[in-house]
């Protein structure tokens, strides 16, 4: 299978590209290395010393067929079309977006950049495929945040909600109402609508993976060679909560719990991200159907419980802070992940062994931690 991975140099994209290549996919990564330039701009490089993309690709040859082309899919549609025309993918996996909620809320230029980048990227991809007459299976990375995080409608289903329309008493299935909590999450709601239209009008087969917060850093394959090591973000904008708390615990920084820590969120380990995407690639929906949605999550926890678990293990205190975000202080969350489970997904769950693995990554590189980037600068 020829698989084009948009955003394959990123935190989720790199281990997934390696995993797909190891499973026999012929992988071509497209990336504009924007994540690396943003990290330079905000003076917060990956905690792990990631190799250049050229060195990564050279080291990855022992794993399988994997190549790289530089391309900005949001601004360089001509190049995108050239690459699509040459490569003729069977599957396109689309990770290539600005993915930080706090970054998207920093100010005017970050709000506009996030919308321009994410929406144009998705539309350029779909429009180019129409123009070229190609119909690969498109696997898009969405987010749990498209639903909002509550149980107003019970357990969160996979993309569609069964309702009875009051006026007609008819039972119908509707797209789950979007309820984003940041500009970034808003772009994922819009992405879904864009892809739904392309599926309806041009018969695309689309899978939208509403993924929870990814934790961990390495997979079996990224550990197999120093130049395959994955990125690890711990700063206030790009670090995600569990990886942040784990890294803080190794340098004695009070654990940055926002508000009461009563926010319930869904989590998934990075190794499972790669495995789930492999499963999704092999299970396209039928042509002419609505986008297939899978909730790509393993388990749900509150931030407070995670922080307490880490504090108990390491003795580092919890530093409750005023919440810099506009979100519910406490929420219930129940999420179905039946789609991927029915395809064979057996989730890795948080356990001591895995947490130790992350801690050892942090310990190995803790001299690179810059305390001044730990606090988030975004407020909304
Ligand atoms: P990341 O920022 O590490 O990776 C994104 C990659 O896309 C980067 O390498 C970046 O350079 C590239 N990119 C961005 N804009 C591009 C453009 N216009 N043209 C070409 N390349 C571009 O992010 P990640 O954590 O790997 O997330 C990947 C995807 O998964 C994102 O779409 C994100 O929304 C989604 N996701 C991530 C998480 C998480 O916890 N990390 C959770 C749920 C969903
Ligand atoms: N939080 C803290 N302390 C911190 C950082 C975060 O208490 O130091 C809290 C936040 O207030 C929030 C929760 O932890 O309630 C999660 O925050 P996060 O930064 O880990 O995650 P989020 O901003 O939602 O975004 C991340 C990824 C994004 C992905 C999303 C999946 O950056 O790309 O889409 O997780 S989900 O959250 O399920 O929508």
């Amino acid at each position: 299978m020829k698989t084009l991975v948009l955003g394959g140099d990123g935190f989720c994209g790199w281990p997934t590209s390696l995993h797909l290549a190891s499973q026999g996919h012929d992988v071509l990564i497209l990336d504009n290395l924007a994540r690396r330039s943003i990290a330079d701009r905000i003076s917060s490089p990956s905690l792990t010393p990631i190799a250049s993309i050229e060195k990564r690709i050279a080291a990855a040859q022992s794993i399988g067929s994997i190549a790289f082309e530089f391309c900005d899919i949001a601004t360089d549609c001509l190049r995108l079309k050239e690459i699509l025309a040459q490569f003729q993918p069977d599957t396109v996996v689309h990770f290539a977006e600005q993915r930080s909620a706090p970054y998207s809320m920093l100010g005017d230029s970050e709000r506009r950049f996030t919308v321009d980048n994410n929406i144009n990227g998705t539309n350029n991809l779909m429009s180019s495929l129409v123009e070229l007459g190609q119909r690969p299976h498109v696997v898009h990375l969405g987010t749990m945040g498209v639903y909002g995080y509550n149980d107003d409608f019970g357990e969160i289903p996979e993309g569609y909600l069964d309702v009875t329309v009051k006026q007609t008493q008819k039972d119908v299935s509707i797209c789950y109402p979007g309820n984003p909590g940041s500009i970034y999450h808003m772009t994922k709601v819009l992405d879904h609508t864009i892809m739904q239209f392309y599926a309806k009008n041009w018969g695309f087969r689309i899978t939208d993976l509403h993924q929870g917060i990814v934790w961990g850093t390495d997979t079996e394959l990224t550990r197999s060679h120093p130049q395959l090591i994955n990125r690890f973000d711990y700063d206030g904008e790009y670090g995600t909560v569990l990886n942040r708390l784990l890294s803080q615990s190794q340098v004695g920084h009070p654990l940055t719990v926002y508000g009461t820590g009563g926010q319930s969120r869904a989590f998934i380990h990075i190794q499972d991200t790669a495995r789930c995407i492999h499963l999704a690639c092999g299970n396209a929906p039928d042509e002419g159907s609505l986008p297939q949605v899978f909730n790509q999550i393993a388990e749900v926890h509150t931030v407070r419980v995670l922080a307490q678990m880490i504090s108990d293990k390491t003795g580092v205190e919890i530093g409750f802070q005023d919440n810099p975000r506009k979100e519910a202080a406490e929420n219930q969350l129940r999420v179905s992940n039946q789609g991927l489970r029915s395809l064979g997904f057996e989730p890795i769950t948080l356990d001591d062994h895995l947490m130790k693995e992350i801690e050892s990554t942090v310990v190995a590189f803790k001299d690179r931690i810059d305390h001044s980037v730990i606090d988030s600068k975004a407020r909304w």
Side-chain angles (χ1 to χ4, degrees):
M1 186 185 289
K2 289 177 110 177
T3 304
L4 187 64
V5 182
L6 310 177
D9 184 49
F11 172 60
C12 298
W14 178 242
T16 302
S17 299
L18 294 177
H19 185 68
L20 294 176
S22 77
Q23 300 299 307
H25 287 233
D26 179 3
V27 173
L28 174 61
I29 291 176
L30 239 65
D31 203 297
N32 66 350
L33 310 182
R35 181 67 198 89
R36 293 179 188 244
S37 16
I38 292 178
D40 289 345
R41 209 159 54 239
I42 62 176
S43 303
S44 179
S46 163
L47 175 67
T48 47
I50 51 172
S52 66
I53 186 66
E54 292 77 16
K55 287 192 173 143
R56 278 184 157 184
I57 297 293
Q61 297 312 306
S62 59
I63 289 173
S65 166
I66 181 161
F68 169 75
E69 291 282 352
F70 183 94
C71 178
D72 185 328
I73 65 159
T75 61
D76 197 352
C77 215
L78 278 183
R79 181 85 189 110
L80 174 61
K81 270 190 230 173
E82 264 172 27
I83 294 168
L84 286 167
Q86 250 171 25
F87 188 63
Q88 308 256 351
D90 302 301
T91 306
V92 178
V93 183
H94 177 16
F95 293 102
E97 306 204 17
Q98 190 303 98
R99 71 99 174 129
S100 158
Y103 185 82
S104 77
M105 300 297 285
L106 276 172
D108 178 47
S109 67
E110 291 82 4
R111 283 192 292 272
R112 286 187 292 106
F113 169 72
T114 303
V115 171
D116 291 347
N117 188 63
N118 296 2
I119 300 307
N120 283 333
T122 302
N123 190 48
N124 285 348
L125 166 66
M126 301 311 299
S127 182
S128 302
L129 292 171
V130 170
E131 181 82 354
L132 293 166
Q134 294 184 2
R135 292 294 181 275
H137 174 203
V138 176
V139 177
H140 172 257
L141 268 294
T143 175
M144 279 303 302
V146 297
Y147 301 116
Y149 313 95
N150 59 57
D151 66 352
D152 288 357
F153 302 117
E155 181 186 63
I156 295 183
E158 303 200 272
Y160 303 94
L161 186 66
D162 294 331
V163 295
T164 306
V165 180
K166 226 177 178 175
Q167 291 83 344
T168 60
Q169 288 304 305
K170 280 205 174 128
D171 293 334
V172 292
S173 177
I174 58 168
C175 187
Y176 196 94
N179 184 12
S182 72
I183 289 281
Y184 154 72
H185 287 101
M186 182 189 81
T187 63
K188 295 288 183 178
V189 175
L190 298 172
D191 273 348
H192 187 83
T193 304
I194 291 172
M195 292 184 301
Q196 192 167 328
F197 180 73
Y198 277 87
K200 184 174 75 171
N201 210 53
W202 285 286
F204 280 97
R205 293 163 306 142
I206 292 173
T207 300
D208 206 0
L209 298 170
H210 289 332
Q211 184 170 237
I213 301 170
V214 183
W215 68 283
T217 181
D218 277 318
T219 62
E220 284 156 28
L221 294 172
T222 63
R223 264 193 301 277
S224 68
H225 189 287
Q227 288 180 347
L228 299 181
I229 194 168
N230 200 17
R231 65 173 308 114
F232 184 100
D233 296 302
Y234 65 92
D235 65 282
E237 270 55 63
Y238 280 90
T240 48
V241 66
L242 183 52
N243 281 3
R244 270 168 66 69
L245 300 183
L246 283 166
S247 57
Q248 291 160 6
S249 73
Q250 298 309 302
V251 291
H253 191 287
L255 306 178
T256 56
V257 172
Y258 299 163
T260 63
Q263 307 93 317
S264 295
R265 293 291 183 273
F267 292 85
I268 183 165
H269 188 264
I270 185 72
Q271 178 78 63
D272 276 346
T273 293
R275 289 192 184 129
C276 286
I277 290 167
H278 177 238
L279 283 174
C281 287
N283 289 280
D286 293 335
E287 208 180 302
S289 55
L290 284 168
Q292 150 177 276
V293 178
F294 294 138
N295 293 334
Q296 189 161 297
I297 69 125
E299 57 193 326
V300 171
H301 294 286
T302 63
V303 173
R304 188 168 52 225
V305 164
L306 295 177
Q308 195 59 57
M309 197 192 303
I310 295 171
S311 174
D312 290 345
K313 271 160 51 76
T314 59
V316 174
E317 63 178 307
I318 300 179
F320 289 99
Q321 308 185 348
D322 286 345
N323 195 338
R325 307 183 185 191
K326 196 173 285 172
E327 60 185 2
E330 310 262 331
N331 67 289
Q332 299 292 322
L333 186 62
R334 286 176 293 133
V335 184
S336 167
N337 62 359
Q338 278 316 300
L340 285 162
R341 274 186 175 273
S342 70
L343 299 177
F345 170 43
E346 286 173 18
I348 295 171
T349 49
L350 258 171
D351 72 14
D352 245 27
H353 167 73
L354 280 162
M355 307 243 289
K356 282 207 179 76
E357 214 170 271
I358 315 303
E359 284 163 10
S360 62
T361 304
V362 177
V363 168
F365 301 111
K366 73 179 188 186
D367 291 348
R368 289 165 57 94
I369 288 192
D370 174 355
H371 285 249
S372 73
V373 300
I374 292 179
D375 283 335
S376 177
K377 291 164 192 64
R379 300 274 177 279
W380 72 94

